[in-house]
Every structure is written in C-alpha cells, then in structure tokens.
Amino acid sequence: MSLIERLTRATVCLYLAPHGLHGVLRRAGRPLPESAFHLPIANPDAGWDVALAALRGWLEQHQEKKLPLAVSLASRWCAMLMVPWSGALLERSSAQRFLHSQFAAVYGDGARAWRLAADDAPYGMPRLACGIDAALLQGVQDAAAAHGRRCLSIEPIAGPAWRSIAGSKAAGSKPAAFALVEAGRLLLATTGGGRITALHSQSCGPAWGEELERAWRRWNLRAPQLDAIEHVALIDLSGVPQTNVPERFVPIAVAGAAHLMREAAWA
C-alpha cells in the first residue's frame, strides 16, 4: 500500500453489543470529528441474533459509501482463554483440534461449534485464544458481503481496549493490568510484553463499582502474582458511571466504544 493510500484510507469501526451498535469513521487510524454514532437496540434477552439484525438494518440504510468495516463484538459473545503451549499449535489443523479440546474442557461440547483463534505468542508461551459462535461470525461476514462491504476484522472488544490502553499517553507507562466494564460484563486482564497474559471474565450488575474489588480479590486467590499490581487501568463501556470505583482502578477516558478501534487487527 502506498503512502497516499495509507493517508486516505477510511474504515468504519463498529462495536456490536447487546443493547447498541456504536460506530465511528476512521481515516489513517484517526477518528473523524463528529462521525461517531450510537444506535440503541431493544434486546431484553441480550441475544446476538437481535443485535445482528440491527447491524443488517444499519447497513441497509447506509449504502452511500461501501467503506470497509472493522467489527468488535461484546465480551459476552466471545469466550476467551489462556491456553497452554503445545506443539499442536504450530500446524493449522492440529491447532484447531487442540483449541477445541481446551475450550470444550471449560465450556462443554457446545464449544466445538465455535470458531476459534489464538494470538501469535512467542514459542513455548501460553496463548490468548478466543471462541465465537460460528453462526454469529458468519452472520457478520454475510451482512457485510450482502451490502458490498469488506470486513477487515472481527474481534472481541478486549483487543481494541488493550491496544487503546497500551498506546494511551494518559496511561503513562504501560499498565500491568486493566479492567474492561461493559453492560452486564466485567473482564480483568494482566499484561506483559505487549500482550494479554492472563484474564478473568464474569457477569456484573449495574452497580459494577462495588463488584470491581471483589472480583479482583477472588481472582487473586487463584493468581497470587496479582499482589504485586497496585494500579489497574479501567475502561468503562457500561453506560452506567459509578461514584464508588476503588482507588486501585484508574479510569482511562475514551470518547466511545468504537473510538477504541484502530486499523484492522485480526480477522
């Protein structure tokens, strides 16, 4: 790609969540002023099928420009695991079998119908893996294709959240851990070497400020190394601000969920 193409390339970055579709137009990796939007979704059961229908509707109404899409999915639809190193990860076919066995052990046989992917960790190191319902993944791809859109990436929102924190001047030095709060979902993660190295995910209620410290302490019981971490970067995408966030958690200001997204990560 030429320098001119990189400078003029535009991408519509979307965050698809149970109760809303968030979007922003980025050019050369930067959000364009006043391009952000939020489409509320009436979805009492928080199912991805209703949210996917909303995405199709938005694409149907915005066909003036066939700009490519970069899509982030809510954490509740993305099962994530740190999987141990295995030589099976070196080959695509054996890697899928290994990943499916790891996810099935935690999430049951239903995980064998998921599409799985893992990051490219150094040789011999555990890898961060994600599982997404194959029907949801295919649905997003089909929706984009049906409207002449190229889908550059589909990934859990945790990826853009971490990249945003790691590159944020407000965060100072790269944090050793971060917390991501969405409506009904809380994710805690430790980081190192530019990667997510461990994580904990759970449901949470609207009063998530009270749950943060309890969740951290419960995770600490299984991961004593957390004792050495004094500050945790916090991104709030819940839409329900809290006044009682523990001092350990340091908020990182973001304009909106879709603003977290940079150029395509991994498809």
Side-chain angles (χ1 to χ4, degrees), residues 85-241:
W85 166 255
S86 169
L89 293 168
L90 298 177
E91 297 290 338
R92 177 172 296 184
S93 59
S94 59
Q96 283 296 298
R97 290 194 296 271
F98 175 72
L99 291 175
H100 275 111
S101 68
Q102 293 291 311
F103 274 80
V106 175
Y107 295 101
D109 286 341
R112 297 189 183 278
W114 296 348
R115 288 278 297 278
L116 306 177
D119 70 354
D120 190 19
Y123 184 91
M125 298 294 291
R127 295 191 177 189
L128 176 63
C130 176
I132 300 175
D133 190 309
L136 168 58
L137 195 61
Q138 190 64 54
V140 173
Q141 294 170 331
D142 290 347
H147 294 90
R149 305 268 193 160
R150 190 158 57 101
C151 207
L152 299 176
S153 65
I154 304 172
E155 64 174 330
I157 190 63
W162 161 234
R163 292 194 298 274
S164 177
I165 292 170
S168 171
K169 294 180 180 178
S173 58
K174 292 182 180 180
F178 73 92
L180 171 65
V181 184
E182 302 168 82
R185 203 73 196 167
L186 167 62
L187 183 142
L188 303 172
T190 59
T191 64
R195 301 177 56 246
I196 294 175
T197 55
L199 54 84
H200 166 81
S201 180
Q202 65 172 69
S203 59
C204 67
W208 56 264
E210 300 175 358
E211 181 62 23
L212 270 176
E213 187 66 22
R214 292 197 295 268
W216 182 263
R217 289 178 179 176
R218 284 196 297 270
W219 192 23
N220 199 173
L221 294 175
R222 307 192 308 273
Q225 68 271 22
L226 300 183
D227 284 335
I229 299 176
E230 297 182 358
H231 302 292
V232 181
L234 170 65
I235 286 184
D236 172 20
L237 302 181
S238 71
V240 187

Side-chain angles (χ1 to χ4, degrees), residues 12 14 21 37 39 52-69 71 139-151:
V12 179
L14 300 174
L21 173 65
F37 71 88
L39 173 67
L52 182 57
L55 172 62
R56 294 193 190 101
W58 183 85
L59 289 169
E60 180 68 32
Q61 295 174 17
H62 295 82
Q63 301 195 63
E64 61 278 3
K65 292 184 179 180
K66 304 295 185 179
L67 296 175
L69 307 176
V71 182
V140 173
Q141 294 170 331
D142 290 347
H147 294 90
R149 305 268 193 160
R150 190 158 57 101
C151 207

Side-chain angles (χ1 to χ4, degrees), residues 63-88:
Q63 301 195 63
E64 61 278 3
K65 292 184 179 180
K66 304 295 185 179
L67 296 175
L69 307 176
V71 182
S72 281
L73 299 175
S75 296
R76 69 180 302 136
W77 300 325
C78 304
M80 302 181 73
L81 282 180
M82 294 301 303
V83 299
W85 166 255
S86 169

